[in-house]
C-alpha cells in the first residue's frame, strides 16, 4: 500500500516508523527539512519537503497513486484542506487529524465524507477516553471491550499475591473461560502457549467474557479502588476532554500552569472540577491542596519527565492509582520499571485508530497495547478466508499471531484449538507489531 503522511511532528513520524515496518511504501511530507532528514536516513521512508496544501507538492509526492493519505499536522484547517485536495487529486482514502469535537458528531460525518474525507481522528479525545476508563476500572493497566462487552481485554500487572503465578496456563482455574494472550516480562513480549507460566511483576493481558471479569481480577489478586477525589496535573486539551467525561461522582482538582490559563473556563464548566495555578514539583503546595486525601492522580502535562516524577511523588504520598501521559515512547519501559501505573501515549492511540485503514480485511477495531510490543485487532473474516477452513489447530497460523476469542450472535467465546471460526464472526486477534500485515492473508 502506498501511504502519504502529511506532518512530520510526533504523531506523523511515529506513524511513519510503525507503518514502514509493515512493508508499506511511505512518503512523509513536511515543510521542515530538519524533521525529514533523520527519518529518511534511519528508516525505510521516502520524504518530500513541501506543503500538504500545495497542489504542486502533493503531485510531486505522487498523490494520484496514493492508497491512503493521512494528514496529522498540528493545524486542523491545514489537515482538512490537504485531505480535500488529496481526494480530488486521486487519493483513494483520506484521514484528517482534528481538534474540534463538533466534527465528530454523527450528523456531521456525511458532510466530511462528501468533501472526500473518509475519517477524522482526535488523538487527545481518544486518550481522554482511555484515562476515564482507567479511573472507572482502576485495577487495570488497559481495558478494551468488543461487541458491547461480549469479550473484554484486560491488561494488568500481576504481583506476588496473585494465585495464578508460577502455574502453567493450561492448569489455571476456569482457564476455559479466559485466555492469557500476551505477557510482558522485563523487556520481552511473550505470545504464550499453554505450557508457559506467569511470574510475579509480569504485565499480563487476558481476554474473557463479561461473566468472568471478576474471577480474573480475583485470581490476579487485584482490589477495586473507589475513586471519588482526583488530582490532575496539566490544563491542556487532554485535561479538558478528560474532565468533560468524568462521572459526576468524581471530584477533580486540576493544577494548571500559566501557558494553559485560557483553558480554565472550559475546565470550570464542570460542576465537579476546581482549577488551581500550581506546580506538582512543589510538595508543600501538593499537601496544601490535599494530595494525601486523593484517591488517584493523573499527570497530563506536556512534559513526559515531569509526569513520571509527579506520579512517583503521588505514589510516595500513598496514592494507589496513578496515570501518566508519556509521549516519549522510549520512557515507557522506564515508567513501568518505576511502577507508576497506567501509561497513556497519544501517538500509540492515534496509530491504533489509523492501522485499521491499512488492511483490506473487514477491521472494526485496532489497539496498540502500551506495555507490550503487540496489537489487538477486531475483524470479521470474509467468505472463503483461510481462517474459516476448519478447526484453529488444523490451520497454519503464523506463530506471532494468536486467536484470542470470537463473538457469534452477540455471545463471546474464548478460542481454543478446537474452535472453528465462521464468516461473519467478530474475531479478536493478537499479533506482534511486525506481523500486522499477515492478517490480510488469513481473513481475506
Amino acid at each position: 500500500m502506498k501511504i502519504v503522511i502529511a506532518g512530520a511532528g510526533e504523531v506523523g513520524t511515529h506513524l511513519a516508523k510503525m507503518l514502514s515496518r509493515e512493508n508499506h511504501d511511505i512518503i512523509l511530507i513536511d515543510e521542515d527539512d530538519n524533521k525529514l532528514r533523520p527519518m529518511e536516513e534511519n528508516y525505510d521512508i521516502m520524504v518530500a519537503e513541501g506543503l500538504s496544501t500545495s497542489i504542486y507538492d502533493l503531485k510531486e509526492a505522487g498523490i494520484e497513486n496514493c492508497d491512503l493519505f493521512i494528514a496529522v499536522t498540528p493545524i486542523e484547517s491545514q489537515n482538512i484542506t490537504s485531505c480535500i485536495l488529496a481526494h480530488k487529486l486521486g487519493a483513494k482514502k483520506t484521514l484528517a487529524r482534528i481538534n474540534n469535537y463538533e466534527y465528530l458528531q454523527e450528523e456531521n460525518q456525511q458532510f466530511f465524507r462528501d468533501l472526500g474525507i473518509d475519517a477524522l481522528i482526535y488523538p487527545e479525545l481518544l486518550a481522554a477516553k482511555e484515562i476515564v476508563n482507567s479511573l472507572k476500572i482502576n485495577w487495570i493497566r488497559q481495558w478494551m471491550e468488543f461487541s458491547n462487552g461480549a469479550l473484554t481485554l484486560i491488561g494488568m500487572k500481576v504481583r506476588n499475591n496473585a494465585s495464578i503465578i508460577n502455574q502453567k496456563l493450561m492448569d489455571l482455574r476456569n482457564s476455559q473461560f479466559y485466555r492469557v494472550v500476551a505477557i510482558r516480562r522485563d523487556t520481552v513480549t511473550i505470545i504464550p502457549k499453554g505450557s508457559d507460566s506467569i511470574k510475579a511483576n509480569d504485565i499480563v493481558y487476558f481476554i474473557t467474557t463479561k461473566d468472568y471479569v471478576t474471577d480474573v481480577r480475583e485470581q490476579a489478586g487485584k482490589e477495586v479502588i473507589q475513586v471519588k477525589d482526583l488530582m490532575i496535573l496539566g490544563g491542556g486539551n487532554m485535561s479538558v476532554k478528560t474532565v468533560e467525561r468524568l462521572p459526576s461522582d468524581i471530584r477533580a482538582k486540576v493544577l494548571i500552569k500559566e501557558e494553559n490559563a485560557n483553558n480554565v473556563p472550559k475546565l470550570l464548566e464542570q460542576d465537579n472540577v476546581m482549577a488551581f495555578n500550581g506546580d506538582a514539583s512543589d510538595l508543600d503546595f501538593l499537601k496544601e491542596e490535599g494530595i494525601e486525601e486523593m484517591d488517584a492522580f493523573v499527570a497530563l502535562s506536556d512534559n513526559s519527565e515531569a509526569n513520571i516524577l509527579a506520579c512517583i511523588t503521588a505514589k510516595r504520598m500513598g496514592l494507589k492509582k496513578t496515570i501518566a501521559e508519556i509521549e516519549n515512547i522510549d520512557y515507557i519501559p522506564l515508567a513501568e520499571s518505576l511502577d507508576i501505573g497506567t501509561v497513556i501515549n497519544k501517538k500509540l492511540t492515534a496509530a491504533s485508530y489509523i492501522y485499521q485503514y491499512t488492511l483490506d480485511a473487514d477491521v472494526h477495531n485496532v489497539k496498540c497495547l502500551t506495555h507490550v510490543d503487540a496489537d489487538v485487532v477486531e475483524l470479521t473474516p470474509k467468505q472463503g478466508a483461510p481462517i474459516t477452513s476448519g478447526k484453529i489447530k488444523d490451520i497454519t497460523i503464523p506463530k506471532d499471531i494468536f486467536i484470542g476469542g470470537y463473538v457469534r450472535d452477540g455471545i463471546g467465546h474464548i478460542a481454543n484449538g478446537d474452535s472453528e471460526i465462521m464468516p461473519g464472526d467478530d474475531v479478536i486477534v493478537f499479533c506482534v507489531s511486525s506481523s500486522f500485515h499477515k492478517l490480510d492473508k488469513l481473513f481475506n
Side-chain angles (χ1 to χ4, degrees):
M1 179 179 280
K2 181 176 180 179
I3 302 173
V4 177
I5 300 173
E10 289 186 338
V11 174
T13 54
H14 177 69
L15 275 170
K17 294 173 190 176
M18 300 287 280
L19 293 172
S20 67
R21 296 194 308 190
E22 303 291 335
N23 297 319
H24 296 295
D25 294 327
I26 307 296
I27 298 176
L28 183 62
I29 302 177
D30 199 280
E31 54 191 305
D32 187 347
D33 182 57
N34 292 324
K35 293 179 179 179
L36 295 174
R37 200 177 302 115
M39 296 296 294
E40 185 178 34
E41 292 171 354
N42 297 310
Y43 300 94
D44 186 18
I45 293 168
M46 295 178 63
V47 300
E49 185 178 356
L51 275 171
S52 61
T53 52
S54 163
I55 294 174
Y56 175 81
D57 290 340
L58 288 173
K59 286 183 176 179
E60 285 291 294
I63 200 69
E64 68 276 5
N65 299 315
C66 173
D67 297 297
L68 177 62
F69 177 79
I70 304 167
V72 287
T73 78
I75 304 170
E76 178 183 75
S77 58
Q78 182 174 330
N79 294 333
I80 290 173
T81 301
S82 58
C83 279
I84 294 170
L85 292 175
H87 170 74
K88 291 294 184 182
L89 293 169
K92 293 185 178 70
K93 287 183 181 178
T94 68
L95 182 148
R97 176 184 181 177
I98 60 166
N99 55 21
N100 187 337
Y101 179 67
E102 178 188 12
Y103 295 167
L104 294 175
Q105 293 172 5
E106 191 172 343
E107 60 268 25
N108 296 327
Q109 295 297 300
Q110 188 59 48
F111 173 79
F112 284 98
R113 283 193 288 269
D114 291 342
L115 291 174
I117 303 174
D118 297 287
L120 300 168
I121 181 171
Y122 190 166
E124 290 80 5
L125 178 62
L126 295 174
K129 290 178 178 178
E130 281 197 33
I131 293 164
V132 173
N133 231 0
S134 293
L135 292 169
K136 289 179 180 176
I137 310 163
N138 45 59
W139 47 275
I140 51 93
R141 297 289 174 99
Q142 281 190 280
W143 175 278
M144 190 175 182
E145 293 184 353
F146 306 95
S147 299
N148 298 316
L151 287 174
T152 300
L153 172 72
I154 304 167
M156 54 186 157
K157 191 164 192 174
V158 176
R159 303 189 187 277
N160 283 315
N161 65 326
S163 64
I164 56 177
I165 64 173
N166 300 324
Q167 296 185 56
K168 290 182 179 180
L169 300 183
M170 65 179 72
D171 297 331
L172 296 179
R173 175 169 60 86
N174 290 332
S175 60
Q176 70 270 34
F177 300 113
Y178 65 84
R179 293 197 80 176
V180 174
V181 292
I183 298 171
R184 172 69 175 246
R185 183 170 299 152
D186 298 324
T187 60
V188 178
T189 295
I190 302 167
I191 301 296
K193 304 181 293 294
S195 57
D196 288 320
S197 60
I198 298 168
K199 305 297 183 184
N201 297 316
D202 284 351
I203 294 178
V204 184
Y205 284 85
F206 302 80
I207 190 165
T208 187
T209 61
K210 54 188 171 185
D211 294 335
Y212 282 87
V213 168
T214 299
D215 187 70
V216 170
R217 177 181 64 79
E218 290 173 349
Q219 288 200 61
K222 295 294 184 179
E223 296 181 2
V224 177
I225 304 165
Q226 292 297 323
V227 176
K228 297 295 182 183
D229 292 291
L230 167 70
M231 186 173 284
I232 299 175
L233 169 65
N237 289 338
M238 198 179 302
S239 296
V240 172
K241 293 304 169 190
T242 297
V243 300
E244 285 177 354
R245 281 154 182 79
L246 284 177
S248 58
D249 61 344
I250 294 181
R251 299 176 293 271
K253 288 185 176 182
V254 184
L255 309 182
I256 301 176
K257 291 190 175 181
E258 194 63 38
E259 57 265 29
N260 295 127
N262 60 318
N263 276 336
V264 170
K266 298 177 186 175
L267 292 164
L268 296 180
E269 287 177 5
Q270 315 304 315
D271 294 335
N272 55 336
V273 176
M274 294 185 290
F276 300 87
N277 186 357
D279 185 350
S281 64
D282 186 338
L283 298 186
D284 291 333
F285 173 77
L286 290 177
K287 289 179 179 179
E288 286 174 13
E289 295 305 329
I291 189 172
E292 293 167 307
E293 284 75 50
M294 295 289 134
D295 301 308
F297 182 87
V298 181
L300 302 178
S301 79
D302 57 4
N303 186 307
S304 295
E305 296 97 323
N307 291 340
I308 292 172
L309 291 172
C311 284
I312 292 172
T313 301
K315 283 273 189 180
R316 288 179 177 171
M317 290 185 169
L319 277 72
K320 293 183 178 179
K321 181 65 179 180
T322 58
I323 300 172
E325 206 261 332
I326 299 176
E327 279 310 297
N328 188 329
I329 292 176
D330 293 336
Y331 288 175
I332 292 178
L334 169 64
E336 183 48 50
S337 68
L338 296 171
D339 202 21
I340 67 166
T342 299
V343 170
I344 301 294
N345 182 280
K346 190 170 58 185
K347 290 178 283 193
L348 290 177
T349 303
S352 298
Y353 183 88
I354 293 170
Y355 266 176
Q356 59 192 293
Y357 294 93
T358 68
L359 288 177
D360 291 328
D362 186 3
V363 178
H364 311 299
N365 216 335
V366 179
K367 176 69 180 172
C368 298
L369 302 180
T370 305
H371 298 282
V372 295
D373 181 27
D375 304 307
V376 55
V377 187
E378 179 184 12
L379 69 173
T380 299
K382 296 179 179 178
Q383 191 73 38
I387 196 65
T388 66
S389 62
K391 294 181 179 181
I392 288 176
K393 66 183 180 183
D394 297 326
I395 299 171
T396 301
I397 298 175
K399 64 179 182 179
D400 44 11
I401 288 177
F402 186 92
I403 309 297
Y406 58 96
V407 179
R408 183 178 297 158
D409 299 325
I411 299 173
H413 303 269
I414 304 303
N416 58 46
D418 291 320
S419 299
E420 295 187 58
I421 304 299
M422 307 291 290
D425 289 346
D426 283 345
V427 186
I428 315 305
V429 182
F430 297 80
C431 55
V432 298
S433 297
S434 59
S435 63
F436 198 83
H437 63 284
K438 297 177 184 177
L439 294 176
D440 266 340
K441 296 178 181 178
L442 277 175
F443 283 81
N444 269 337

